[in-house]
Amino acid sequence: MRKIVKVSKIIFFTFFAMILFVGMAVFIYHNYQKGKESSLISEGTPVDFNNKEINVYMEGGGEDTYVFMSGSGIAAPVYELKGLYSKFAKENKIVVIERAGYGYSDVFHDDRDIDTILEQSRKSLMESGNKPPYILVPHSVSGIEAIYWAQKYPSEVKGIIALDIGLPHQYVTHKMGMVDSLTVKGLNLLTKMGLHRLVPSAVYNPEVIRQSFLTDHEKEMYKTLSYKQFFNDDMEQELLQSYNNGKKKSVNLPIPKDTPILFLDAIADENENSKYTKQKKEDYEDFAEKLLKGDVIKLKGTHSIYLYAPDEIYDLSMEFIK
């Protein structure tokens, strides 16, 4: 019996030592790679915020300025959204704002209050030479900022092309629970340890690599930026503050009825009859009915709809804005 216990202890401590060794090796490698990745040359215009920078990418020209705003966790927006914004850039001016913690922008380590996010976006646009009004193109969680922008500064927002966005009141109604909050915090901690580098498919969207809108070099940069920025402190706080950003700010203001909004509702085949899908559609339609000009159009595809229906999104957008 004593021999079995002794052998069991040896096996346990050997296994623990192996886990510790692997963890330390990954952590050292992660920080080594971060050092290399910190010297990446930005594709865009950096705007200074007290020695921190937000990256603004611009392309094309025309009467209207379309501002692309990525969803939560899209670590390299300039690359991931290219398949869509390149369609718009042929006849319009496009701008991609890489929020704090995203793409080539620095991690700000602030509280990600919606007023902070919005003022950073506005300053970034103005100081990079992009004057309002804008047509905002938000995806997912950026819907909170876009709606709030139209509520607070209506003269700056000519319209909104909403790509499967989350409405402010949805983040209030479906408040993140304790388990979800702990999951978000745990994922952030694992990322600091560098463990995300062991699971590439969770770090970046394989569909971006599979498609052809990026060059081989851009695909490598997309991967590199994704590893560098994946689920950092700013992304963590952005999710943890989604309830407060909806409830304490946007929900308490009147709906921006004068702002034209096109809701593009992404619906995957397997979720077509789900309770969530039906409720999302009802929420969009209810919001659109309160606007002077609003529409809801169903698009077939996953939440990352910009990867699956770029031509359709462009055509619908042009028709709606005109």
Side-chain angles (χ1 to χ4, degrees):
M1 184 66 179
R2 290 182 178 178
K3 186 176 182 180
I4 294 176
V5 172
K6 184 177 181 180
V7 172
S8 297
K9 287 183 178 180
I10 292 173
I11 293 174
F12 172 77
F13 284 113
T14 300
F15 179 75
F16 179 77
M18 290 176 62
I19 294 295
L20 185 63
F21 174 77
V22 171
M24 287 298 296
V26 171
F27 179 74
I28 292 170
Y29 175 73
H30 173 57
N31 282 279
Y32 169 73
Q33 287 297 106
K34 280 182 68 177
K36 292 173 60 178
E37 292 159 356
S38 64
S39 61
L40 290 174
I41 299 175
S42 169
E43 278 202 34
T45 300
V47 177
D48 182 73
F49 290 82
N50 296 320
N51 297 320
K52 296 278 189 180
E53 292 180 344
I54 283 183
N55 186 59
V56 179
Y57 177 80
M58 296 169 283
E59 191 178 314
E63 179 182 349
D64 291 323
T65 300
Y66 288 81
V67 178
F68 288 78
M69 306 156 69
S70 74
S72 174
I74 307 302
V78 164
Y79 297 114
E80 181 149 339
L81 300 178
K82 184 177 180 180
L84 177 60
Y85 69 67
S86 60
K87 308 288 182 185
F88 286 76
K90 293 177 181 179
E91 297 182 357
N92 307 278
K93 185 174 185 180
I94 69 93
V95 181
V96 182
I97 298 179
E98 296 193 309
R99 298 190 299 282
Y102 286 76
Y104 290 102
S105 297
D106 292 325
V107 180
F108 279 41
H109 300 287
D110 56 22
D111 62 5
R112 296 286 81 197
D113 174 81
I114 190 63
D115 279 303
T116 299
I117 296 173
L118 177 54
E119 294 312 314
Q120 288 172 354
S121 295
R122 295 178 69 240
K123 178 181 176 181
S124 296
L125 287 171
M126 291 296 290
E127 294 200 3
S128 59
N130 298 286
K131 296 181 179 180
Y134 314 112
I135 299 171
L136 306 180
V137 190
H139 173 246
S140 195
V141 76
S142 287
I144 297 179
E145 180 185 1
I147 298 296
Y148 188 52
W149 200 332
Q151 290 172 312
K152 198 170 182 182
Y153 304 104
S155 64
E156 295 183 2
V157 183
K158 181 177 179 179
I160 298 176
I161 307 298
L163 306 178
D164 210 42
I165 67 167
L167 293 168
H169 81 269
Q170 291 175 329
Y171 290 94
V172 176
T173 303
H174 305 288
K175 182 180 180 181
M176 188 179 295
M178 182 179 294
V179 174
D180 291 332
S181 297
L182 290 175
T183 300
V184 168
K185 293 176 181 179
L187 187 56
N188 174 253
L189 178 60
L190 292 175
T191 298
K192 289 179 178 178
M193 296 168 62
L195 293 178
H196 63 292
R197 292 183 184 270
L198 302 177
V199 194
S201 61
V203 175
Y204 56 82
N205 193 329
E207 184 66 19
V208 176
I209 303 302
R210 190 189 69 79
Q211 293 193 23
S212 59
F213 58 82
L214 295 180
T215 65
D216 289 341
H217 172 70
E218 288 172 334
K219 288 180 179 180
E220 289 306 309
M221 296 300 291
Y222 170 66
K223 293 178 182 179
T224 300
L225 268 181
S226 295
Y227 282 123
K228 175 178 182 289
Q229 297 286 45
F230 182 73
F231 225 82
N232 55 51
D233 288 349
D234 289 354
M235 293 183 185
E236 176 200 36
Q237 284 302 309
E238 190 175 70
L239 284 177
L240 294 177
Q241 291 297 326
S242 59
Y243 172 81
N244 288 333
N245 285 340
K247 182 176 179 61
K248 296 182 178 180
K249 301 294 174 67
S250 184
V251 169
N252 292 322
L253 294 175
I255 283 178
K257 65 177 183 176
D258 294 326
T259 303
I261 303 179
L262 173 62
F263 293 96
L264 298 178
D265 187 11
I267 302 177
D269 288 339
E270 61 271 22
N271 299 323
E272 189 168 5
N273 297 314
S274 71
K275 182 179 178 181
Y276 167 77
T277 297
K278 293 177 180 178
Q279 185 61 57
K280 179 161 64 95
K281 180 175 180 289
E282 289 179 13
D283 289 343
Y284 286 163
E285 290 176 344
D286 181 64
F287 201 103
E289 286 176 1
K290 298 173 183 177
L291 304 172
L292 294 180
K293 183 178 181 182
D295 200 0
V296 180
I297 297 178
K298 170 186 170 182
L299 290 180
K300 185 176 181 179
T302 69
H303 184 50
S304 301
I305 193 63
Y306 49 85
L307 293 174
Y308 300 95
D311 290 309
E312 193 171 357
I313 291 171
Y314 175 72
D315 291 340
L316 290 170
S317 300
M318 293 300 100
E319 182 179 349
F320 181 78
I321 293 301
K322 290 177 181 178

